[in-house]
Amino acid sequence: MPAPLTAAPRRRFPSGIRLVDYTLTGWTALVMGFLYLPIIVLVAYSFNRSRLNIVLESFTFAWYQRVWENGPLLRAAQNSLLIATVSTVLSVLLGTGGAWLLHRYRYRGARSLQTLVAVPMVMPEILMGISLLILFATAGMGLGFTAVIIGHVTFSFPFVLVAVQARLKGLDPAMEEAALDLGATPLQAFMLVIVPCLRPAIVAGALMAFTLSWDELIVTFFTTNAASATLPIRVFGMAKVGLNPMLNALSAIFIVATAAFVLFSNYLKKLSR
Amino acid sequence: MSTMVDLRAVTKRFGSFTAVNDVSLEIAEGEFLTLLGPSGCGKTTLLRLIAGFDTPTEGSVWIGGEDVTHLPPYRRPVNQVFQSYALFPHLTVAENVGFGLRMQHIDKTEAAARVTEALALVSLTGLDARKPHQLSGGQRQRVALARALVCRPKVLLLDEPLSALDAKLRRSMQLELKRLQRQLGITFVFVTHDQEEALTMSDRIAIVNGGRIEQLGTAHEIYHRPATRFAADFVGQANLLEAQLLLQDSECVRVAVTGGLELTLPLAAWPAGATVALIAMRPEKVHVSKSRSSTAFAPGAANIFQARIEEEIFQGATDHLILVTAAGTRLGVVVANESALGDIFHAGDLVYCGLHTDDLVVVKAE
Ligand SMILES: Nc1ncnc2c1ncn2[C@@H]1O[C@H](COP(=O)(O)OP(=O)(O)O)[C@@H](O)[C@H]1O
Ligand SMILES: [Mg+2]
């Protein structure tokens, strides 16, 4: 077991020169502004009474109320959560199991499988959406939750697989053998020893899979039906009709939820280390 | 004593490479057997064949009178201490040690008692709740040992378990392992590339080279009567001399070795019918004295010759001398640095050397 290495202290150049100081500070401010100004504007307008995103009028919670009362939107949020959760669980199972089989066993086709698995990560989503649509149509399978979840799993499980594989490369091969030696069957060795060793990678992969599914638009667009429409699909539909302060409020909620999710995932990662 | 582990004509190939080549080996119950050889000679592979991580390409593996050739590792009454220890990082010391009992569905209270007992056995009492990364190298090593011993295996396999420890800890662990083995009476198969470790600990040593066992015997046999050039060279030091037969009578042979020195050997030691052979001579078996009448020259020392000290290397308790005989043969010898009563040697001195005929060993040259 490698002892955790203490990171070498990062070396910083003492600036000393004023011009460098100012330039760097300015550059930092520019980046921050570029990243966060649109968000700040959006949040500000979500509390604006005016229907137009131009003039700031008086303060209101009305748009948030409208979001809360919008049934289809809430259902879409529920759908998104359900789809993201289910496809994350499936991706973790497929990705972790697949990585282990590819790592542990040598069999015919393993190498080509390794390459093929990476394809969905780089394939344009629009291609994937269309091909899935054709597949489901040919198979006579209706669109909806199952189709969307299959679509999401297809592009997110490779991320879990790759993360787990990277971790497996650094895993002591004697770890599994020690478990077998102590009387564990191969399945017990995998579940009781290997999986716990892989936990940081599994958590990272799961977070990735969840995030990918949560804000996915294009593949969902090709595979969904009205009942399974996700939040991005609804928002996209609303935005096509015209910008609406309700969207600002919704986006603000999204931002807060995302920030909470990021904090939570950092916490999870810290736990699993 | 009955046979515990029996390798019968075992060969293991990886592709076209032969890692273990037709090895037959019987290990007795309660024996401490060491597989000794240089890195890459096939020691780990032999151990893996006994543990069940690999299956032999040819031959069979028997443990406790049962053919286990095709049994998976989790069905063999064998446990291993891994070179990397392979402790489970997410489990505490107690959970690591208890893992094997958990797999055997041993009752919880009994398991807890056995874990405590095993930790006491390796002097780790009180560290139950630690995680492996909170332990020192030596402590991890002990956990690995306790984890294997708690399962009460018929055979314990140890793959260079001490190689990651510093020299001092290593020596004390050698003695402790030996003590544990005697106390528990478990058969130990110990792998090392360190000849000193092998000599200190083992009941018997198997010298492994190129996937074959070159010699099997007690530490004394291996050291005093090496069978091959490799064994003579790998364990301790040896002067290896090409010998040419000169004369032969009913008891002795007279040979000339490289450089011209003539030596006498018992006829029984000489391979029948051979005219040339390789002789191994341990450097400390040559008695060196400044005077010919010294008591060191017992009647058995049929080989007496003169030599000049070419080089003297002081090593504290001993002196290493490089000698050149009158005939021109170079020999390395080791003499004890005795009290002031003994001789003191310097480069350039002329000395007398005596050598018992039985201390010359003919080894296979291959
Ligand atoms: N799984 C394997 N595939 C191919 N070659 C192997 C494998 N395991 C061991 N070998 C080769 O077999 C030889 C013996 O290895 P090993 O038993 O580990 O030696 P030792 O433990 O004595 O250092 C080495 O040359 C090694 O490269
Ligand atoms: Mg080895």
Side-chain angles (χ1 to χ4, degrees):
Chain A
M1 226 208 49
L5 296 172
T6 39
R10 186 141 46 137
R11 218 163 278 202
R12 286 224 168 91
F13 293 104
S15 69
I17 310 163
R18 282 219 153 170
L19 185 65
V20 174
D21 261 353
Y22 286 138
T23 316
L24 284 177
T25 313
W27 184 71
T28 310
L30 201 70
V31 171
M32 299 283 269
F34 187 73
L35 284 176
Y36 287 104
L37 199 62
I39 294 175
I40 293 167
V41 171
L42 184 143
V43 172
Y45 276 107
S46 73
F47 295 109
N48 182 15
R49 190 176 300 282
S50 163
R51 263 201 149 279
L52 301 170
N53 275 347
I54 313 166
V55 278
L56 273 173
E57 251 173 46
S58 56
F59 183 87
T60 179
F61 274 122
W63 304 118
Y64 287 90
Q65 175 124 26
R66 291 270 293 278
V67 170
W68 184 245
E69 284 162 359
N70 190 324
L73 215 48
L74 288 183
R75 215 177 36 253
Q78 273 173 14
N79 289 348
S80 276
L81 204 60
L82 178 74
I83 288 166
T85 308
V86 174
S87 63
T88 299
V89 169
L90 292 177
S91 296
V92 163
L93 293 179
L94 265 176
T96 310
W100 177 244
L101 294 181
L102 279 172
H103 175 79
R104 183 65 184 76
Y105 299 96
R106 293 275 156 269
Y107 49 93
R108 206 176 314 183
R111 283 179 68 118
S112 21
L113 187 63
Q114 172 74 58
T115 317
L116 283 176
V117 149
V119 169
M121 296 203 287
V122 289
M123 188 152 95
E125 291 182 4
I126 186 113
L127 280 184
M128 191 130 112
I130 293 172
S131 46
L132 281 168
L133 180 62
I134 295 171
L135 174 74
F136 293 143
T138 320
M141 200 181 111
L143 299 182
F145 279 108
T146 315
V148 174
I149 287 171
I150 291 176
H152 284 201
V153 169
T154 313
F155 64 73
S156 53
F157 95 86
F159 287 90
V160 180
L161 189 131
V162 168
V164 170
Q165 254 179 345
R167 178 109 184 151
L168 278 172
K169 286 223 174 73
L171 189 74
D172 182 0
M175 211 56 91
E176 187 205 6
E177 288 173 355
L180 295 177
D181 187 66
L182 292 165
T185 62
L187 184 66
Q188 282 174 319
F190 178 66
M191 295 307 292
L192 299 176
V193 173
I194 303 301
V195 167
C197 288
L198 298 177
R199 213 169 64 180
I202 294 175
V203 169
L207 293 174
M208 192 75 196
F210 190 91
T211 325
L212 284 172
S213 168
W214 178 250
D215 64 6
E216 211 288 327
L217 177 67
I218 299 167
V219 173
T220 318
F221 180 78
F222 282 99
T223 49
T224 191
N225 62 7
S228 65
T230 60
L231 208 47
I233 293 279
R234 279 269 176 252
V235 171
F236 183 63
M238 285 164 69
K240 264 199 303 194
V241 181
L243 285 179
N244 171 343
M246 207 170 82
L247 282 181
N248 295 345
L250 184 66
S251 308
I253 296 172
F254 235 88
I255 289 162
V256 172
T258 309
F261 183 73
V262 168
L263 290 178
F264 173 68
S265 61
N266 281 344
Y267 171 73
L268 270 189
K269 274 187 205 158
K270 223 174 266 166
L271 267 193
S272 64
R273 215 163 274 143
Chain B
M1 209 174 278
S2 62
T3 301
M4 180 51 80
V5 180
D6 190 2
L7 301 178
R8 299 188 184 167
V10 168
T11 294
K12 177 67 185 176
R13 285 190 204 94
F14 297 107
S16 62
F17 178 79
T18 308
V20 170
N21 195 351
D22 190 26
V23 165
S24 290
L25 175 63
E26 283 187 35
I27 305 170
E29 188 177 348
E31 183 175 12
F32 194 124
L33 182 116
T34 298
L35 300 172
L36 173 65
S39 155
C41 70
K43 307 181 296 289
T44 297
T45 307
L46 270 170
L47 218 54
R48 294 172 60 84
L49 290 168
I50 301 174
F53 302 129
D54 279 324
T55 43
T57 317
E58 283 161 34
S60 58
V61 180
W62 297 66
I63 296 171
E66 193 192 346
D67 184 354
V68 299
T69 313
H70 298 289
L71 279 192
Y74 48 94
R75 298 252 178 73
R76 297 192 185 196
V78 169
N79 286 105
Q80 184 166 345
V81 175
F82 291 83
Q83 188 168 8
S84 61
Y85 311 148
L87 299 182
F88 306 137
H90 59 292
L91 300 181
T92 63
V93 166
E95 287 165 342
N96 262 286
V97 175
F99 189 89
L101 302 177
R102 200 170 129 207
M103 293 302 104
Q104 290 172 37
H105 305 289
I106 304 270
D107 164 71
K108 277 234 172 69
T109 45
E110 193 201 329
R114 274 171 69 176
V115 167
T116 310
E117 184 193 359
L119 286 174
L121 197 65
V122 297
S123 324
L124 276 184
T125 306
L127 297 183
D128 315 41
R130 296 257 188 107
K131 288 280 184 67
H133 68 90
Q134 295 167 313
L135 300 175
S136 71
Q139 288 170 330
R140 278 182 216 166
Q141 213 272 322
R142 285 156 189 272
V143 175
L145 194 59
R147 183 175 73 173
L149 286 175
V150 80
C151 301
R152 297 180 183 155
K154 286 187 179 163
V155 184
L156 187 72
L157 308 173
L158 303 104
D159 192 357
E160 312 212 12
L162 308 180
S163 62
L165 305 181
D166 62 64
K168 202 168 163 202
L169 195 53
R170 208 178 154 129
R171 287 213 65 83
S172 74
M173 275 310 291
Q174 286 172 7
L175 300 177
E176 193 167 332
L177 272 177
K178 186 73 198 149
R179 174 185 65 78
L180 267 176
Q181 193 263 341
R182 286 223 185 90
Q183 181 185 339
L184 300 172
I186 295 177
T187 309
F188 273 36
V189 184
F190 185 92
V191 163
T192 183
H193 62 262
D194 180 338
Q195 43 115 358
E196 235 181 276
E197 198 163 277
L199 293 174
T200 315
M201 302 175 74
S202 326
D203 293 329
R204 282 194 306 164
I205 298 172
I207 304 280
V208 187
N209 186 31
R212 288 175 180 277
I213 293 186
E214 293 227 346
Q215 190 176 4
L216 178 66
T218 64
H220 284 269
E221 286 164 0
I222 299 274
Y223 188 80
H224 294 306
R225 310 232 74 85
T228 64
R229 173 202 286 266
F230 178 82
D233 213 24
F234 193 74
V235 180
Q237 292 174 317
N239 293 294
L240 290 164
L241 308 164
E242 311 269 358
Q244 175 95 41
L245 184 67
L246 297 177
L247 298 167
Q248 160 171 2
D249 66 15
S250 60
E251 279 173 32
C252 295
V253 292
R254 185 89 177 149
V255 299
V257 302
T258 330
L261 175 65
E262 291 188 13
L263 295 169
T264 305
L265 277 75
L267 178 64
W270 189 257
T275 54
V276 289
L278 191 68
I279 293 179
M281 182 201 295
R282 294 287 181 204
E284 73 282 4
K285 301 212 171 165
V286 181
H287 283 275
V288 183
S289 170
K290 284 195 169 172
S291 73
R292 190 176 170 126
S293 60
S294 158
T295 50
F297 294 89
N303 296 297
I304 294 176
F305 50 91
Q306 259 196 317
R308 185 172 297 283
I309 300 178
E310 189 181 79
E311 208 176 320
E312 180 237 337
I313 304 150
F314 177 71
Q315 300 225 309
T318 57
D319 255 356
H320 284 206
L321 306 177
I322 311 280
L323 304 180
V324 182
T325 67
T329 302
R330 296 176 98 243
L331 296 174
V333 306
V334 175
V335 295
N337 272 326
E338 292 164 5
S339 69
L341 295 171
D343 287 335
I344 295 170
F345 300 105
H346 297 289
D349 289 353
L350 201 61
V351 292
Y352 290 95
C353 302
L355 190 60
H356 197 287
T357 52
D358 284 345
D359 286 333
L360 291 168
V361 183
V362 174
V363 297
K364 271 191 224 145
E366 75 227 16

